[in-house]
Amino acid sequence: MTATDPAPNLERATLDKAAGENFPVAPFFLPRAWRDDLMAVYGFARLVDDIGDGDLAPGGGDARLLGVSPDEAEDRLVLLDAFETDLRRVFDGTPRHPLLRRLTPTVRRHALTPEPFLGLIAANRQDQLVTRYETYDDLLAYCELSANPVGRIVLAVTGTSTPERVRLSDAICTALQIVEHLQDVAEDLGRDRIYLPAQDMKRFHVRESDLAAKTAGASVRALVAYEAQRARDVLNEGAPLVGSVHGRLKLLLAGFVAGGRAAIRAITAAEFDVLPGPPKPGTLQLLREAGVILRGEG
Protein backbone atom coordinates (compact mmCIF):
# COMPACT_ATOMS: atom_id res chain seq x y z
CA MET A 1 0.00 0.00 0.00
CA THR A 2 1.13 3.53 -0.74
CA ALA A 3 0.63 6.60 1.39
CA THR A 4 -2.31 7.56 -0.81
CA ASP A 5 -3.96 4.15 -0.73
CA PRO A 6 -7.59 4.74 0.39
CA ALA A 7 -8.11 1.15 1.59
CA PRO A 8 -7.17 1.57 5.28
CA ASN A 9 -9.33 4.67 5.67
CA LEU A 10 -12.29 3.02 3.94
CA GLU A 11 -11.97 -0.04 6.13
CA ARG A 12 -11.79 1.98 9.33
CA ALA A 13 -14.70 4.24 8.34
CA THR A 14 -16.92 1.20 7.84
CA LEU A 15 -15.90 -0.55 11.06
CA ASP A 16 -16.36 2.65 13.08
CA LYS A 17 -20.09 2.55 12.27
CA ALA A 18 -20.46 -0.29 14.79
CA ALA A 19 -20.76 2.31 17.55
CA GLY A 20 -24.07 3.51 16.11
CA GLU A 21 -25.87 0.17 16.07
CA ASN A 22 -28.79 -0.70 18.38
CA PHE A 23 -26.84 -3.60 19.87
CA PRO A 24 -23.22 -4.25 20.88
CA VAL A 25 -21.31 -5.70 17.93
CA ALA A 26 -18.11 -6.94 19.61
CA PRO A 27 -18.09 -5.80 23.24
CA PHE A 28 -14.95 -5.71 25.36
CA PHE A 29 -15.89 -8.68 27.56
CA LEU A 30 -15.64 -11.19 24.72
CA PRO A 31 -12.43 -13.12 24.03
CA ARG A 32 -10.16 -11.23 21.64
CA ALA A 33 -10.54 -13.92 18.94
CA TRP A 34 -14.32 -13.60 19.04
CA ARG A 35 -14.15 -9.82 18.89
CA ASP A 36 -11.91 -9.97 15.84
CA ASP A 37 -14.20 -12.47 14.13
CA LEU A 38 -17.39 -10.56 14.92
CA MET A 39 -15.89 -7.27 13.71
CA ALA A 40 -14.84 -9.00 10.49
CA VAL A 41 -18.42 -10.20 9.99
CA TYR A 42 -19.76 -6.76 10.87
CA GLY A 43 -17.45 -5.13 8.33
CA PHE A 44 -18.86 -7.35 5.61
CA ALA A 45 -22.48 -6.80 6.63
CA ARG A 46 -22.07 -3.03 7.05
CA LEU A 47 -20.35 -2.62 3.70
CA VAL A 48 -22.92 -4.63 1.76
CA ASP A 49 -25.67 -2.53 3.36
CA ASP A 50 -23.80 0.67 2.50
CA ILE A 51 -23.54 -0.47 -1.11
CA GLY A 52 -27.25 -1.24 -1.20
CA ASP A 53 -28.19 2.07 0.43
CA GLY A 54 -25.82 4.22 -1.61
CA ASP A 55 -23.93 5.17 1.55
CA LEU A 56 -20.38 4.39 0.44
CA ALA A 57 -17.66 6.89 1.21
CA PRO A 58 -17.38 9.56 -1.49
CA GLY A 59 -14.64 9.30 -4.08
CA GLY A 60 -15.36 5.84 -5.44
CA GLY A 61 -12.62 4.12 -3.44
CA ASP A 62 -14.69 1.01 -2.72
CA ALA A 63 -15.63 0.69 -6.39
CA ARG A 64 -11.98 0.83 -7.42
CA LEU A 65 -11.06 -1.82 -4.87
CA LEU A 66 -13.78 -4.05 -6.32
CA GLY A 67 -12.61 -3.50 -9.89
CA VAL A 68 -15.63 -1.43 -10.94
CA SER A 69 -15.00 1.27 -13.50
CA PRO A 70 -15.70 4.92 -12.65
CA ASP A 71 -18.54 4.92 -15.19
CA GLU A 72 -20.38 2.24 -13.17
CA ALA A 73 -19.31 3.29 -9.66
CA GLU A 74 -22.80 4.61 -8.87
CA ASP A 75 -24.62 1.51 -10.15
CA ARG A 76 -25.55 -0.40 -7.01
CA LEU A 77 -26.39 -3.63 -8.80
CA VAL A 78 -23.02 -3.59 -10.57
CA LEU A 79 -21.29 -2.94 -7.24
CA LEU A 80 -23.21 -5.77 -5.56
CA ASP A 81 -22.24 -8.14 -8.37
CA ALA A 82 -18.59 -7.14 -7.99
CA PHE A 83 -18.83 -7.53 -4.23
CA GLU A 84 -20.25 -11.03 -4.62
CA THR A 85 -17.42 -11.93 -6.97
CA ASP A 86 -14.93 -10.70 -4.39
CA LEU A 87 -16.77 -12.57 -1.62
CA ARG A 88 -16.34 -15.82 -3.54
CA ARG A 89 -12.59 -15.16 -3.51
CA VAL A 90 -12.76 -15.41 0.29
CA PHE A 91 -13.58 -19.09 -0.19
CA ASP A 92 -11.26 -19.91 -3.09
CA GLY A 93 -8.60 -17.24 -3.39
CA THR A 94 -7.55 -13.80 -2.19
CA PRO A 95 -10.19 -11.05 -2.20
CA ARG A 96 -9.42 -7.49 -3.25
CA HIS A 97 -11.37 -5.49 -0.70
CA PRO A 98 -9.67 -5.09 2.71
CA LEU A 99 -12.88 -5.87 4.60
CA LEU A 100 -13.13 -9.17 2.75
CA ARG A 101 -9.45 -9.88 3.38
CA ARG A 102 -10.21 -9.28 7.06
CA LEU A 103 -13.08 -11.78 6.80
CA THR A 104 -10.99 -14.54 5.20
CA PRO A 105 -9.29 -15.87 8.38
CA THR A 106 -12.66 -15.96 10.16
CA VAL A 107 -14.25 -17.96 7.35
CA ARG A 108 -11.38 -20.44 7.27
CA ARG A 109 -11.04 -20.75 11.04
CA HIS A 110 -14.70 -21.66 11.49
CA ALA A 111 -15.33 -23.39 8.13
CA LEU A 112 -18.10 -20.90 7.36
CA THR A 113 -20.10 -21.46 4.19
CA PRO A 114 -20.95 -18.80 1.57
CA GLU A 115 -24.74 -19.09 2.00
CA PRO A 116 -25.39 -16.59 4.81
CA PHE A 117 -23.08 -14.03 3.23
CA LEU A 118 -24.79 -14.49 -0.13
CA GLY A 119 -28.14 -14.01 1.61
CA LEU A 120 -27.10 -10.56 2.80
CA ILE A 121 -26.02 -9.61 -0.71
CA ALA A 122 -29.33 -10.95 -2.09
CA ALA A 123 -31.25 -8.79 0.38
CA ASN A 124 -29.49 -5.69 -0.88
CA ARG A 125 -30.17 -6.68 -4.48
CA GLN A 126 -33.81 -7.00 -3.51
CA ASP A 127 -33.71 -3.48 -2.08
CA GLN A 128 -32.85 -2.19 -5.55
CA LEU A 129 -35.83 -3.96 -7.10
CA VAL A 130 -38.52 -4.18 -4.41
CA THR A 131 -39.50 -1.03 -2.54
CA ARG A 132 -42.88 -2.02 -1.05
CA TYR A 133 -44.12 -5.12 0.80
CA GLU A 134 -47.74 -6.15 0.49
CA THR A 135 -47.98 -8.45 3.50
CA TYR A 136 -46.24 -9.14 6.80
CA ASP A 137 -45.21 -12.55 5.45
CA ASP A 138 -43.51 -10.80 2.52
CA LEU A 139 -41.56 -8.71 5.02
CA LEU A 140 -40.58 -11.81 7.01
CA ALA A 141 -39.25 -13.40 3.82
CA TYR A 142 -37.10 -10.31 3.28
CA CYS A 143 -35.79 -10.54 6.86
CA GLU A 144 -34.80 -14.15 6.15
CA LEU A 145 -32.24 -12.67 3.75
CA SER A 146 -31.45 -9.32 5.34
CA ALA A 147 -31.14 -10.20 9.03
CA ASN A 148 -31.27 -13.89 9.92
CA PRO A 149 -27.93 -14.78 8.28
CA VAL A 150 -26.12 -12.56 10.79
CA GLY A 151 -27.32 -14.55 13.78
CA ARG A 152 -26.50 -17.80 12.07
CA ILE A 153 -22.95 -16.60 11.46
CA VAL A 154 -22.60 -15.55 15.12
CA LEU A 155 -23.65 -19.03 16.25
CA ALA A 156 -21.21 -20.62 13.80
CA VAL A 157 -18.33 -18.37 14.87
CA THR A 158 -18.93 -19.19 18.55
CA GLY A 159 -19.33 -22.91 17.86
CA THR A 160 -22.83 -23.06 19.37
CA SER A 161 -25.06 -23.65 16.36
CA THR A 162 -27.90 -26.17 16.70
CA PRO A 163 -31.21 -26.30 14.79
CA GLU A 164 -33.15 -25.00 17.81
CA ARG A 165 -30.70 -22.17 18.44
CA VAL A 166 -30.87 -21.21 14.77
CA ARG A 167 -34.67 -21.03 15.03
CA LEU A 168 -34.48 -18.80 18.10
CA SER A 169 -31.73 -16.69 16.58
CA ASP A 170 -33.81 -16.16 13.44
CA ALA A 171 -36.63 -14.77 15.59
CA ILE A 172 -34.29 -12.33 17.35
CA CYS A 173 -32.71 -11.14 14.12
CA THR A 174 -36.06 -10.71 12.38
CA ALA A 175 -37.36 -8.68 15.32
CA LEU A 176 -34.27 -6.46 15.34
CA GLN A 177 -34.70 -5.83 11.62
CA ILE A 178 -38.35 -4.86 12.03
CA VAL A 179 -37.46 -2.52 14.91
CA GLU A 180 -34.80 -0.88 12.78
CA HIS A 181 -37.35 -0.39 9.99
CA LEU A 182 -39.70 1.29 12.48
CA GLN A 183 -36.95 3.63 13.65
CA ASP A 184 -36.03 4.50 10.07
CA VAL A 185 -39.45 5.05 8.46
CA ALA A 186 -38.58 8.60 7.38
CA GLU A 187 -35.07 7.74 6.21
CA ASP A 188 -36.32 4.74 4.23
CA LEU A 189 -39.06 6.82 2.60
CA GLY A 190 -36.34 9.22 1.47
CA ARG A 191 -34.88 6.25 -0.41
CA ASP A 192 -38.35 5.42 -1.82
CA ARG A 193 -38.64 2.33 0.39
CA ILE A 194 -41.45 1.39 2.75
CA TYR A 195 -41.07 -1.62 5.03
CA LEU A 196 -44.50 -1.22 6.63
CA PRO A 197 -46.73 -3.90 5.05
CA ALA A 198 -49.27 -2.38 2.66
CA GLN A 199 -52.06 -4.50 4.14
CA ASP A 200 -51.36 -3.04 7.57
CA MET A 201 -51.22 0.49 6.20
CA LYS A 202 -54.67 0.00 4.67
CA ARG A 203 -55.99 -1.45 7.92
CA PHE A 204 -54.88 1.64 9.84
CA HIS A 205 -55.87 4.05 7.05
CA VAL A 206 -52.29 5.21 6.51
CA ARG A 207 -51.32 6.60 3.13
CA GLU A 208 -47.78 6.93 1.85
CA SER A 209 -48.14 10.71 2.00
CA ASP A 210 -48.79 10.41 5.75
CA LEU A 211 -45.29 8.98 6.19
CA ALA A 212 -43.78 12.10 4.61
CA ALA A 213 -45.14 14.40 7.33
CA LYS A 214 -42.82 16.01 9.86
CA THR A 215 -44.65 14.36 12.74
CA ALA A 216 -46.93 11.35 12.84
CA GLY A 217 -50.68 11.61 13.04
CA ALA A 218 -52.86 9.27 15.06
CA SER A 219 -53.18 6.67 12.29
CA VAL A 220 -49.42 6.42 11.74
CA ARG A 221 -48.81 6.18 15.49
CA ALA A 222 -51.36 3.38 15.77
CA LEU A 223 -49.71 1.51 12.91
CA VAL A 224 -46.23 1.90 14.40
CA ALA A 225 -47.55 0.74 17.80
CA TYR A 226 -49.04 -2.35 16.15
CA GLU A 227 -45.81 -3.22 14.35
CA ALA A 228 -43.76 -2.54 17.49
CA GLN A 229 -45.90 -5.02 19.45
CA ARG A 230 -45.38 -7.57 16.69
CA ALA A 231 -41.64 -7.04 16.88
CA ARG A 232 -41.72 -7.35 20.68
CA ASP A 233 -43.59 -10.66 20.42
CA VAL A 234 -41.11 -12.07 17.90
CA LEU A 235 -38.19 -10.86 20.02
CA ASN A 236 -39.66 -12.56 23.08
CA GLU A 237 -40.10 -15.74 21.06
CA GLY A 238 -36.36 -15.79 20.40
CA ALA A 239 -35.24 -14.65 23.87
CA PRO A 240 -34.83 -18.22 25.28
CA LEU A 241 -31.71 -18.40 23.11
CA VAL A 242 -29.96 -16.40 25.84
CA GLY A 243 -30.66 -19.06 28.45
CA SER A 244 -29.45 -21.85 26.18
CA VAL A 245 -25.82 -20.71 26.28
CA HIS A 246 -23.35 -19.82 29.00
CA GLY A 247 -20.52 -17.48 29.89
CA ARG A 248 -19.63 -14.47 27.80
CA LEU A 249 -21.75 -15.59 24.85
CA LYS A 250 -24.76 -15.33 27.16
CA LEU A 251 -23.83 -11.70 27.83
CA LEU A 252 -23.49 -10.99 24.10
CA LEU A 253 -26.85 -12.49 23.19
CA ALA A 254 -28.49 -10.72 26.12
CA GLY A 255 -27.10 -7.52 24.64
CA PHE A 256 -28.74 -8.25 21.29
CA VAL A 257 -32.14 -8.87 22.87
CA ALA A 258 -31.74 -5.91 25.22
CA GLY A 259 -30.90 -3.67 22.28
CA GLY A 260 -34.14 -4.60 20.59
CA ARG A 261 -36.23 -4.16 23.73
CA ALA A 262 -34.60 -0.84 24.56
CA ALA A 263 -35.24 0.41 21.02
CA ILE A 264 -38.91 -0.58 21.29
CA ARG A 265 -39.10 1.27 24.62
CA ALA A 266 -37.57 4.34 22.94
CA ILE A 267 -40.20 4.15 20.17
CA THR A 268 -42.91 3.82 22.83
CA ALA A 269 -41.48 6.75 24.81
CA ALA A 270 -41.70 8.84 21.64
CA GLU A 271 -45.41 7.95 21.56
CA PHE A 272 -44.74 6.03 18.35
CA ASP A 273 -43.88 9.21 16.43
CA VAL A 274 -40.89 7.96 14.44
CA LEU A 275 -41.13 10.52 11.65
CA PRO A 276 -38.93 13.31 13.15
CA GLY A 277 -36.03 10.82 13.33
CA PRO A 278 -35.08 7.47 14.83
CA PRO A 279 -35.96 7.16 18.53
CA LYS A 280 -32.76 5.82 20.10
CA PRO A 281 -32.38 4.20 23.52
CA GLY A 282 -29.75 5.39 25.95
CA THR A 283 -26.98 3.20 27.31
CA LEU A 284 -28.60 3.04 30.74
CA GLN A 285 -31.84 1.71 29.29
CA LEU A 286 -29.95 -0.93 27.36
CA LEU A 287 -28.09 -2.02 30.50
CA ARG A 288 -31.34 -2.21 32.46
CA GLU A 289 -32.90 -4.42 29.81
CA ALA A 290 -29.85 -6.66 29.73
CA GLY A 291 -29.99 -7.00 33.51
CA VAL A 292 -33.62 -8.08 33.39
CA ILE A 293 -32.82 -10.70 30.76
CA LEU A 294 -29.79 -12.06 32.60
CA ARG A 295 -31.74 -12.33 35.84
CA GLY A 296 -34.30 -14.40 34.00
CA GLU A 297 -37.10 -11.95 34.72
CA GLY A 298 -38.15 -11.43 31.14
Side-chain angles (χ1 to χ4, degrees), residues 5-292:
D5 189 339
N9 290 337
L10 291 172
E11 182 180 14
R12 178 44 51 195
T14 300
L15 295 175
D16 284 348
K17 294 181 181 181
E21 302 293 346
N22 277 336
F23 49 85
V25 173
F28 70 92
F29 56 75
L30 293 180
R32 176 61 183 270
W34 281 11
R35 294 203 310 271
D36 290 346
D37 287 335
L38 292 175
M39 283 306 296
V41 171
Y42 175 79
F44 168 87
R46 182 70 268 163
L47 183 60
V48 73
D49 279 355
D50 286 349
I51 292 172
D53 291 342
D55 287 341
L56 292 176
D62 289 293
R64 288 194 298 275
L65 287 166
L66 294 171
V68 174
S69 70
D71 291 343
E72 296 181 302
E74 301 299 320
D75 189 321
R76 298 179 194 176
L77 286 171
V78 169
L79 285 168
L80 288 168
D81 286 347
F83 194 58
E84 178 176 330
T85 297
D86 210 28
L87 169 68
R88 293 185 184 279
R89 295 189 188 103
V90 170
F91 296 88
D92 60 16
T94 302
R96 295 175 174 176
H97 200 286
L99 286 168
L100 292 178
R101 291 199 296 271
R102 175 185 285 263
L103 181 64
T104 301
T106 297
V107 163
R108 293 177 180 169
R109 185 159 45 244
H110 301 287
L112 303 182
T113 63
E115 284 72 23
F117 300 98
L118 292 171
L120 295 173
I121 294 174
N124 279 276
R125 277 204 192 93
Q126 185 165 314
D127 278 334
Q128 313 314 309
L129 305 170
V130 180
T131 60
R132 306 290 189 275
Y133 291 86
E134 181 63 26
T135 69
Y136 182 63
D137 284 344
D138 292 339
L139 186 63
L140 293 181
Y142 169 74
C143 292
E144 177 69 22
L145 295 174
S146 68
N148 298 359
V150 175
R152 296 182 182 201
I153 295 169
V154 170
L155 292 176
V157 163
T158 56
T160 55
S161 184
T162 67
E164 176 62 7
R165 284 178 178 146
V166 167
R167 184 185 73 80
L168 296 172
S169 171
D170 284 353
I172 292 171
C173 292
T174 288
L176 293 177
Q177 179 74 90
I178 292 172
V179 170
E180 185 177 340
H181 288 328
L182 293 179
Q183 290 175 306
D184 293 341
V185 168
E187 180 182 332
D188 289 333
L189 186 65
R191 295 186 167 111
D192 191 30
R193 297 178 192 164
I194 297 176
Y195 295 100
L196 298 165
Q199 283 187 354
D200 297 343
M201 291 177 64
K202 291 173 188 172
R203 175 182 174 184
F204 285 91
H205 308 289
V206 172
R207 298 165 298 180
E208 291 193 11
S209 58
D210 296 329
L211 303 180
K214 291 185 178 180
T215 61
S219 295
V220 171
R221 291 175 191 245
L223 171 60
V224 172
Y226 175 73
E227 303 298 352
Q229 182 59 52
R230 269 182 158 174
R232 184 183 290 110
D233 291 343
V234 176
L235 190 60
N236 289 341
E237 178 187 331
L241 177 65
V242 177
S244 78
V245 299
H246 305 283
R248 286 179 278 190
L249 178 58
K250 188 185 188 81
L251 294 177
L252 177 68
L253 298 182
F256 291 164
V257 176
R261 288 184 177 174
I264 293 170
R265 285 191 183 274
I267 291 170
T268 304
E271 298 180 335
F272 306 104
D273 185 4
V274 296
L275 299 188
K280 292 283 189 179
T283 301
L284 184 58
Q285 183 62 55
L286 193 152
L287 291 173
R288 284 174 177 164
E289 295 288 347
V292 169

